[in-house]
Amino acid sequence: TTRDWQDADARHFLPPFTDFRRLARKGARVITRADGIPLWDSDGHRILDAMRGLWCVNVGYGQRALADAATRQLSELPFYNAFFQTATPPAIELAELLAEVTPPQFEHVFFTGSGSEGNDTVVRMVRRYWDLLGEPGRDVIISRRNAYHGSTMAGASLGGMSGMHAQGGLPIPGIVHIEQPYWWAHGRPHGWSRDEFGLVAARWLEQEILRLGPEKVAAFIGEPVQGAGGVIVPPATYWPEVQRICDRYGVLLVSDEVICGFGRTGRWFGCETMGTRPDLMTFAKGVTSGYVPLGGVMVGERVARVLIERGGEFAHGYTYSGHPVACAVGLANVRLIRDLRLVEHVAGDVGPYLAQAYADLAGHPLVGEAETCGLMGALLLVRDKATGAAFDPAWEAGMVCRGHCFREGLIMRAVGDRMIIAPPLVITRTQIDEMVALIRRCLDLTLADARAAGQLG
């Protein structure tokens, strides 16, 4: 029964990013099956998953081709490592396929088990690159506040989440942060247009490079669209100016595509949508649609040539780098995305359809800002629509709304007072209509709660 599972969960399972004592009192939600986009919990409730698991189930649940690929590989070769000058066919073939679907500067892949491990690899690889070029002092990596790059020591340090940095002595040395390109919080109060603010925000990077000294700056890392930070879509002027600045000072550009990759933004990768040419590109999640763990780093030729030709051992790697079962599933998944033309589906059909639906939701009394990028969307809840005044943080408007979402059969994430979605790429217009109707219903319920609590301006 649900209660049996909840009791066992409270006794033995420590889940991520959780207040363990609070969850034990409440009881976990137990998910038992899924099909396409909906999930079902242990009590039989149907839930529309508008977050594709944890940003990862791009092709939806229940794709037979992925299960079959895993079964075949488990029967043939369930595991062998990539250490000791060894490789397996699935790892080789997936590396080749990834070189085909990624931007042309990428011909090499370093596999990991997750995006967090991928960003740890970026730190090691970037510093190794500059060391081989005879500039070992060029070791500082610049990131952004409110960015998310994983929860390992290096990944969490690269990220700009203050709550994570408050635990465990983070960030590690050699990582610094600039402000995020969030127009609502940092551009709108100054009266800047989005395009004006995009240039201002990008030049914060240049100011930091000059403050540190260009000879000390190794790389800049950023998500094309900040995911866990609240689906922060930067102004169109931001990324091209970042590219110009990195080129001017010779700084490596790293695009964290763990959330934006494999079709999410309407192109295969978010850097293509934003108009950048990164030197390194982290991926995970969507590479297998979350069916099995896999991550990695696409290594651009600027970096790869130095690592290969100036050589020596790169003393870094993981037991599961290039895991044959994970790579077999990745092969099946990327081929499925291509065969179903899901990237084109997002760019030409459901992405624009979602954008229009969100433009309509922008008229709701609680919504201060509504924005999308491909199949990612965010709604900012505000106390006063006319002024954009925020809710009292103690009331936790986002969590109130999220609670209504769960009760109404919708998984929608709250990041502060930003309500965010990232549905599977296989979603249809009819399913978007169902999702948006549920969102509107939950906004109405939250509005009623806000009135009852005296929270409205």
Side-chain angles (χ1 to χ4, degrees):
T1 67
T2 297
R3 188 70 252 175
D4 293 334
W5 277 320
Q6 288 175 332
D7 289 345
D9 176 75
R11 287 195 303 270
H12 304 295
F13 183 33
L14 297 178
F17 286 90
T18 297
D19 181 328
F20 305 127
R21 183 170 59 181
R22 184 177 179 183
L23 179 63
R25 290 197 301 265
K26 179 182 178 183
R29 178 180 300 100
V30 181
I31 301 298
T32 57
R33 67 184 181 94
D35 183 21
I37 294 179
L39 306 161
W40 283 264
D41 68 16
S42 53
D43 292 322
H45 298 136
R46 180 182 182 273
I47 309 168
L48 185 70
D49 183 9
M51 280 303 303
R52 57 169 172 142
L54 197 61
W55 310 93
C56 50
V57 190
N58 282 7
V59 298
Y61 298 101
Q63 292 285 359
R64 190 72 247 170
L66 276 61
D68 289 346
T71 301
R72 283 194 302 271
Q73 190 59 47
L74 283 165
S75 299
E76 293 173 7
L77 179 68
F79 174 74
Y80 199 72
N81 65 78
F83 286 55
F84 317 123
Q85 302 179 16
T86 304
T88 64
I92 296 168
E93 292 171 20
L94 180 57
E96 185 176 40
L97 180 57
L98 290 174
E100 290 178 19
V101 301
T102 54
Q105 69 269 32
F106 295 113
E107 293 289 339
H108 294 85
V109 186
F110 190 101
F111 285 117
T112 68
S114 68
S116 295
E117 290 178 0
N119 283 323
D120 279 33
T121 299
V122 162
V123 173
R124 297 286 306 279
M125 192 172 284
V126 161
R127 289 174 175 170
R128 176 65 172 161
Y129 167 83
W130 287 112
D131 188 39
L132 288 171
L133 287 179
E135 298 185 60
R138 198 162 185 168
D139 62 354
V140 178
I141 301 174
I142 301 174
S143 183
R144 301 178 297 188
R145 298 188 184 97
N146 197 39
Y148 187 82
H149 297 295
S151 60
T152 51
M153 290 293 284
S157 296
L158 289 171
M161 301 287 184
S162 58
M164 297 176 72
H165 289 179
Q167 300 177 3
L170 301 179
I172 61 175
I175 296 173
V176 299
H177 299 82
I178 60 174
E179 193 53 80
Q180 62 182 324
Y182 183 14
W183 174 81
W184 182 272
H186 305 298
R188 185 183 65 93
H190 293 281
W192 291 322
S193 70
R194 289 180 183 272
D195 283 350
E196 289 169 339
F197 172 66
L199 295 175
V200 169
R203 287 166 189 163
W204 292 334
L205 171 60
E206 186 166 34
Q207 292 165 14
E208 186 66 7
I209 291 171
L210 293 173
R211 185 187 72 81
L212 294 165
E215 73 283 358
K216 296 180 181 178
V217 179
F220 173 69
I221 185 171
E223 307 155 84
V225 176
Q226 289 163 251
V231 182
I232 307 297
V233 183
T237 53
Y238 177 76
W239 276 113
E241 182 67 1
V242 166
Q243 181 72 68
R244 183 195 68 79
I245 292 165
C246 288
D247 290 346
R248 178 177 182 180
Y249 298 101
V251 172
L252 293 172
L253 178 57
V254 184
S255 186
D256 184 335
E257 300 274 356
V258 171
I259 285 174
C260 294
F262 300 98
R264 177 60 38 187
T265 65
R267 299 288 295 273
W268 271 94
F269 293 91
C271 60
E272 297 172 293
T273 299
M274 300 302 169
T276 59
R277 304 178 308 280
D279 300 291
L280 297 163
M281 195 165 73
T282 319
F283 66 88
K285 295 185 185 291
V287 69
T288 63
S289 284
Y291 279 50
V292 291
L294 180 66
V297 181
M298 298 302 302
V299 184
E301 289 307 282
R302 172 185 175 184
V303 176
R305 285 298 114 208
V306 170
L307 295 176
I308 294 167
E309 294 172 4
R310 301 205 178 195
E313 179 179 338
F314 180 45
H316 175 75
Y318 306 98
T319 299
Y320 300 122
S321 293
H323 192 291
V325 176
C327 288
V329 174
L331 267 170
N333 178 70
V334 175
R335 287 169 177 162
L336 188 62
I337 291 172
R338 190 170 59 183
D339 292 347
L340 295 177
R341 297 180 63 82
L342 291 181
V343 180
E344 294 83 356
H345 178 61
V346 173
D349 186 5
V350 292
Y353 192 75
L354 178 67
Q356 182 56 57
Y358 262 51
D360 294 341
L361 286 173
H364 191 278
L366 280 189
V367 175
E369 179 183 48
E371 56 183 346
T372 67
C373 180
L375 277 183
M376 306 172 76
L379 301 171
L380 176 65
L381 307 184
V382 294
R383 181 176 62 85
D384 189 318
K385 193 175 181 73
T387 65
F391 279 101
D392 179 353
W395 192 62
E396 296 187 311
M399 295 302 289
V400 171
C401 187
R402 192 186 77 158
H404 286 302
C405 290
F406 281 130
R407 286 187 289 274
E408 295 296 317
L410 173 69
I411 293 178
M412 191 180 191
R413 186 167 171 177
V415 178
D417 287 348
R418 288 179 72 84
M419 303 302 299
I420 63 175
I421 60 163
L425 307 189
V426 294
I427 197 168
T428 65
R429 290 187 176 207
T430 299
Q431 290 167 324
I432 289 176
D433 289 342
E434 178 189 359
M435 177 182 70
V436 170
L438 286 169
I439 292 172
R440 189 176 293 278
R441 164 75 174 156
C442 295
L443 289 174
D444 289 344
L445 292 169
T446 305
L447 178 62
D449 285 351
R451 285 178 175 144
Q455 285 292 322
L456 297 182

